Amino acid sequence: MNQDINIKTLQKNCFRQSKVPGVFLLQMRVPGGYVSAEMLEIVKHISETWGDGNFHFGTRQTFDVCGIKYQDVPAVNEYLEKYIKSVEEDVCGVDMDLIAGEKVGWNPKAGYPTIGARNITACIGNYHCVCGNVNTFELARKIEGIIFPSHYHIKINISGCPNDCNKAHLCDFGIIGVAEMEYHPDRCIGCGLCARTCEKGSTRVLTLNEETGKIEKDTCCCVGCGECARVCPASAWTRKEEKYYRVIIGGRTGRQTPRTGKMFLNWASEDVVLSVLKNWQNFSAWVMNYKPEYLHGGHLIDRAGYKKFKEIMLEGVKLNPECLVAEDIYWHETEYRSNFNVKPLSLHHTAGPQDKK
Amino acid sequence: MSYRLTQNEADAVFAELLKKFDIYAPHRHVCAGRYSDDDIVKYDKVESLSDVEYKKKSDYPMKEVISPIQQALFYFTEDEYRESKVSSRPILIFARPCDINAQKIQARIYAGNGGFTDSYYERMKDRVKYILMDCEGGDDNCFCVSMHTNKTDNYSLAVKFHEDGSLFVKVKDQDFDNYFQEIKEIEFEPEFVNKNELKVTVPVIKDHETLNKLKAHPMWNEFNSRCISCGACTIACSTCTCFTTKDIIYGDNPEVGERRRIESSCQVDGYTTVAGGISYRKTAGEKMRFKMLHKFHDYKERFVDSDMCVGCGRCTARCPQFISITTTLDKMSKAIEEIEKGEV
């Protein structure tokens, strides 16, 4: 079959190439992995009309419809208008006319304008989960308009608690809901259940002092999971009303140097997380000499170095008083090939604005 | 005499009452629940009517005002000691019939049981007068009607909160007449719940032989895998009175400190531990059996006229494992039936 298809253009349009020439997979964004069930009707219609009748849950919580033929892409895009407007504009308040903050203008009949910033994933969070500390998909919806539409790549995973079921440790910018705990000794019956629970399932920061019958806490090592409040029979432990977040950066999978992310911020307020993320476009643009190319967010941090990342990401951010920032980060990577980073200088990547030569 | 107070009038009366009384009421603590973003309602000293959570039944019982989870009994220095002091100001408590009736049960245990009067309980109880809160049927865990605790006449004022901020008040205790002198009288009588969704029949254990067979019945084994023995049920209980004492030493001088009383629970480890380290009830099933028989047999055996339960349903509501006290009572009835038929 003679087909002339610009797969790069289709990719930016969120259609992914398949093994079969001319057949594509559509990735529909689901910010925070949470959407009204009526959206399934749209997925069903696309799949049954233009796809192979099935759909796959994308690994980043997208609705992936397989088997879409190249010639049907315009029709699918036109039909997607309803979904994109509902999910992106109505639910997340995204301005679809902006790309990375610049006025470009969106043709609502032409589908997704960018694929760079990936779908924000989230666990169900405190909307449902007994362990969750924050409403994860509401946060995802607030972030969506900051990072999308944009050609700059970033993967954001949100977990409602430090159990990190949604793997904030394995993406560019992982966000974990943490609870600052308050202890009310006058309500404590000294049963020690919190201490046993912390020992068994968390960081062993609580001890029952047999002399006083009260709990002592090693505050510096508390991960803010909130398990003590969950198990206390007398509400002697409670969460503060304010919500806090831990930000883990630079985690990734991949063929070269997979690694677990490291802590960038701890006890950051929602405002801080959002204002830090507003600097992501600037940071990416700076690293790539103001030319967006397909490069994973974590690699951008490597190219710039953590200290440059920190400098740009914290620009204009007013940190809440509780917020702690990593002074430095020491990565621990899996080097599939030993001394992976040792190579001729000519193979080194550049970062930042390059002078014309 | 009864009145309908506008919000401003109600606030003014409340402010006047505050001059004389310490006022306690159910109060909503935002996001302080067991799970994130859930609130908790517990009794607190309140400063204004808007502090009173009148819609939701409190998660923790009113008893906390009178017998707090923790209190200092006395302070010691070498061979001297002195009792802890409490304010002499009288106390007003916003309470529902279940919580008010629970005090009859608590008083029996604290004041007079075994020929001993607990002065720490007594000195609090003597300061208390009640403001009866209207209860529109409670929630789906309530079974006060089955326990005959849905009504009370032990109150000084009765109030009903209206959505528009106004307040219906009945003044039963003439000591309070002068707070309402400027206000026009109306007809208002507090209404009591006379039907709950949940109905329970407390089983009758007719003799000692049945009791012993019930103790040995396999029904209790279920709790070994279900109940986590956290004690949330007893902390939430309106009637439970168990406490332990602990001598707290201040700093590094063992001659100075206080004796403290802390609420205890028959469900938690250590409750039956005696000298030598032996525990009498080790399994969750044994602890649950003790609690159920204590509440629905032993208490009545001793005090005759009621069980040790007012049907507030807080134990069921607070149980993280969804163990229902009413379903457990039904299981007891079924076990007794089996015993009486000679099946077990």
Side-chain angles (χ1 to χ4, degrees):
Chain A
M1 197 193 293
N2 176 18
Q3 295 201 79
D4 183 65
I5 302 171
N6 185 337
I7 54 169
K8 289 231 169 79
T9 309
L10 252 82
Q11 188 184 12
K12 282 183 182 156
N13 205 194
C14 293
F15 286 90
R16 301 296 200 121
Q17 182 194 350
S18 79
K19 296 194 298 180
V20 181
V23 177
F24 290 80
L25 172 149
L26 166 68
Q27 283 189 311
M28 299 164 73
R29 295 178 76 88
V30 185
Y34 184 84
V35 79
S36 160
E38 65 185 321
M39 293 300 150
L40 293 173
E41 296 290 341
I42 296 178
V43 179
K44 182 169 184 270
H45 181 81
I46 295 174
S47 178
E48 289 179 350
T49 313
W50 300 289
D52 63 5
N54 304 297
F55 80 97
H56 178 246
F57 288 115
T59 56
R60 295 204 58 77
Q61 296 184 336
T62 46
F63 291 127
D64 290 357
V65 183
C66 308
I68 294 176
K69 293 195 180 68
Y70 177 61
Q71 60 266 30
D72 291 331
V73 166
V76 174
N77 275 340
E78 197 173 328
Y79 187 76
L80 267 178
E81 178 181 359
K82 190 164 58 172
Y83 181 83
I84 296 175
K85 280 190 164 165
S86 168
V87 171
E88 299 295 337
E89 292 186 335
D90 301 346
V91 173
C92 300
V94 172
D95 184 346
M96 291 298 292
D97 285 330
L98 303 180
I99 290 187
E102 279 175 40
K103 191 99 180 161
V104 173
W106 175 56
N107 173 7
K109 307 282 182 206
Y112 286 107
T114 69
I115 197 173
R118 291 297 197 276
N119 188 49
I120 303 165
T121 67
C123 68
I124 192 69
N126 78 359
Y127 175 72
H128 158 86
C129 183
V130 296
C131 297
N133 288 319
V134 295
N135 189 313
T136 49
F137 61 80
E138 275 180 8
L139 181 66
R141 288 169 174 183
K142 287 176 192 165
I143 296 173
E144 180 75 347
I146 296 173
I147 57 134
F148 175 80
S150 168
H151 294 299
Y152 291 113
H153 177 283
I154 184 170
K155 287 191 180 111
I156 298 175
N157 296 354
I158 305 173
S159 279
C161 84
N163 204 41
D164 195 13
C165 297
N166 194 42
K167 302 168 189 68
H169 279 80
L170 285 175
C171 67
D172 304 320
F173 200 95
I175 303 169
I176 296 172
V178 288
E180 194 176 343
M181 306 310 297
E182 285 183 303
Y183 181 51
H184 314 281
D186 57 326
R187 291 195 68 80
C188 177
I189 63 163
C191 66
L193 183 56
C194 56
R196 292 195 297 279
T197 304
C198 189
E199 181 180 343
K200 197 174 161 204
S202 199
T203 47
R204 298 198 306 271
V205 297
L206 303 181
T207 335
L208 175 64
N209 181 330
E210 296 291 347
E211 300 295 317
T212 61
K214 300 295 170 191
I215 299 296
E216 279 161 14
K217 178 172 170 176
D218 177 0
T219 45
C220 104
C221 301
C222 169
V223 286
C225 61
E227 286 294 281
C228 44
R230 186 166 73 84
V231 300
C232 179
S235 299
W237 285 106
T238 56
R239 292 174 183 80
K240 273 195 179 168
E241 194 179 341
E242 298 79 26
K243 301 289 187 282
Y244 296 98
Y245 300 89
R246 177 171 303 134
V247 175
I248 306 290
I249 57 163
R252 63 184 169 219
T253 54
R255 286 183 285 266
Q256 297 181 312
T257 47
R259 69 185 181 201
T260 308
K262 295 277 187 177
M263 201 189 304
F264 165 42
L265 304 174
N266 205 8
W267 308 108
S269 68
E270 185 186 286
D271 277 352
V272 166
V273 172
L274 296 178
S275 20
V276 164
L277 274 169
K278 281 177 189 157
N279 288 328
W280 178 256
Q281 311 287 357
N282 289 343
F283 170 71
S284 306
W286 183 87
V287 179
M288 290 193 284
N289 196 18
Y290 303 97
K291 292 186 207 82
E293 57 170 297
Y294 189 91
L295 190 61
H296 285 192
H299 292 298
L300 302 185
I301 303 172
D302 288 354
R303 287 194 187 184
Y306 169 70
K307 288 202 165 149
K308 189 70 193 176
F309 166 85
K310 178 171 72 174
E311 180 194 315
I312 300 180
M313 293 300 276
L314 293 183
E315 227 164 64
V317 175
K318 194 174 178 314
L319 295 175
N320 54 300
E322 304 83 358
C323 185
L324 304 175
V325 183
E327 182 174 8
D328 223 325
I329 282 181
Y330 303 98
W331 304 103
H332 183 80
E333 303 183 333
T334 298
E335 290 189 353
Y336 283 134
R337 174 183 183 152
S338 64
N339 299 319
F340 180 83
N341 290 306
V342 182
K343 53 195 171 185
L345 202 52
S346 58
L347 292 181
H348 288 207
H349 298 291
T350 58
Q354 303 295 306
D355 295 333
K356 279 183 189 147
K357 289 186 178 147
Chain B
M1 280 185 276
S2 297
Y3 309 92
R4 181 174 186 165
L5 281 66
T6 64
Q7 194 167 348
N8 286 343
E9 286 169 338
D11 287 341
V13 168
F14 194 91
E16 276 306 306
L17 289 169
L18 271 177
K19 289 178 186 167
K20 185 174 173 193
F21 296 91
D22 286 348
I23 305 180
Y24 289 84
H27 180 65
R28 181 175 288 270
H29 292 254
V30 175
C31 295
R34 178 183 279 153
Y35 305 128
S36 172
D37 280 354
D38 285 353
D39 300 346
I40 203 98
V41 178
K42 66 180 185 69
Y43 271 79
D44 275 314
K45 206 165 160 181
V46 290
E47 301 297 331
S48 85
L49 258 188
S50 58
D51 288 342
V52 181
E53 170 57 63
Y54 64 89
K55 284 184 181 155
K56 188 182 181 294
K57 182 176 79 186
S58 64
D59 296 286
Y60 289 102
M62 187 275 283
K63 75 173 183 191
E64 288 184 3
V65 179
I66 301 168
S67 49
I69 288 178
Q70 171 184 308
Q71 67 184 128
L73 301 183
F74 57 81
Y75 303 93
F76 53 84
T77 306
E78 295 178 328
D79 60 347
E80 293 172 357
Y81 73 93
R82 82 155 173 78
E83 279 199 326
S84 61
K85 291 175 182 167
V86 286
S87 156
S88 57
R89 276 165 65 83
I91 294 172
L92 269 177
I93 308 179
F94 282 83
R96 294 189 166 84
C98 55
D99 276 316
I100 295 174
N101 282 317
Q103 284 311 304
K104 275 198 271 186
I105 293 169
Q106 287 225 311
R108 283 231 182 82
I109 300 287
Y110 281 122
N113 186 25
F116 176 79
T117 297
D118 185 322
S119 59
Y120 303 101
Y121 176 79
E122 204 77 346
R123 70 184 183 183
M124 288 298 286
K125 194 191 103 214
D126 289 348
R127 293 161 59 202
V128 170
K129 287 188 173 186
Y130 294 112
I131 302 177
L132 178 72
M133 289 170 88
D134 181 67
C135 183
E136 291 167 357
D139 56 39
D140 55 7
N141 289 316
C142 293
F143 55 103
C144 58
V145 177
S146 299
M147 301 313 295
H148 314 292
T149 52
N150 50 320
K151 293 177 184 167
T152 182
D153 59 1
N154 179 14
Y155 61 90
S156 295
L157 303 172
V159 296
K160 184 182 172 71
F161 289 83
H162 195 275
E163 286 291 340
D164 67 9
S166 68
L167 191 70
F168 294 91
V169 183
K170 178 191 167 186
V171 182
K172 184 163 159 285
D173 178 344
Q174 58 187 22
D175 288 358
F176 291 84
D177 283 345
N178 57 338
Y179 290 95
F180 299 89
Q181 275 168 358
E182 304 293 310
I183 299 156
K184 198 169 111 251
E185 277 182 53
I186 57 148
E187 289 291 310
F188 165 68
E189 270 297 317
E191 283 172 39
F192 295 104
V193 172
N194 53 32
K195 204 176 152 197
N196 304 125
E197 262 178 57
L198 207 53
K199 286 191 188 71
V200 186
T201 308
V202 178
V204 177
I205 300 167
K206 64 177 184 197
D207 53 31
H208 221 74
E209 194 193 336
T210 311
L211 178 64
N212 283 336
K213 282 186 175 164
L214 181 59
K215 283 182 184 172
H217 194 278
M219 72 164 278
W220 307 110
N221 294 340
E222 175 194 353
F223 301 105
N224 291 334
S225 58
R226 281 186 72 195
C227 174
I228 57 170
S229 302
C230 68
C233 51
T234 66
I235 305 295
C237 178
S238 308
T239 65
C240 274
T241 52
C242 285
F243 63 85
T244 184
T245 56
K246 201 168 183 68
D247 286 352
I248 310 294
I249 307 300
Y250 297 157
D252 59 0
N253 184 354
E255 300 292 320
V256 186
E258 74 179 64
R259 178 159 297 176
R260 191 180 279 172
R261 153 145 107 191
I262 307 113
E263 192 171 337
S264 181
S265 166
C266 54
Q267 301 302 298
V268 304
D269 280 348
Y271 180 80
T272 59
T273 306
V274 293
I278 295 164
S279 275
Y280 290 105
R281 293 184 290 276
K282 293 191 184 73
T283 67
E286 287 168 340
K287 292 170 184 172
M288 179 65 93
R289 183 201 69 208
F290 171 80
K291 183 183 80 178
M292 292 302 289
L293 290 177
H294 183 74
K295 291 197 168 297
F296 299 103
H297 174 266
D298 306 350
Y299 182 92
K300 198 170 191 173
E301 185 94 333
R302 186 181 182 100
F303 299 109
V304 183
D305 68 345
S306 82
D307 287 300
M308 197 182 184
C309 171
V310 291
C312 69
R314 289 184 176 106
C315 52
T316 303
R318 284 291 295 165
C319 178
Q321 302 296 316
F322 302 114
I323 295 169
S324 153
I325 196 162
T326 47
T327 307
T328 308
L329 269 173
D330 292 344
K331 286 175 184 170
M332 263 170 67
S333 296
K334 196 167 155 273
I336 291 166
E337 212 173 287
E338 286 170 14
I339 291 162
E340 286 174 349
K341 282 186 190 158
E343 289 169 2
V344 279

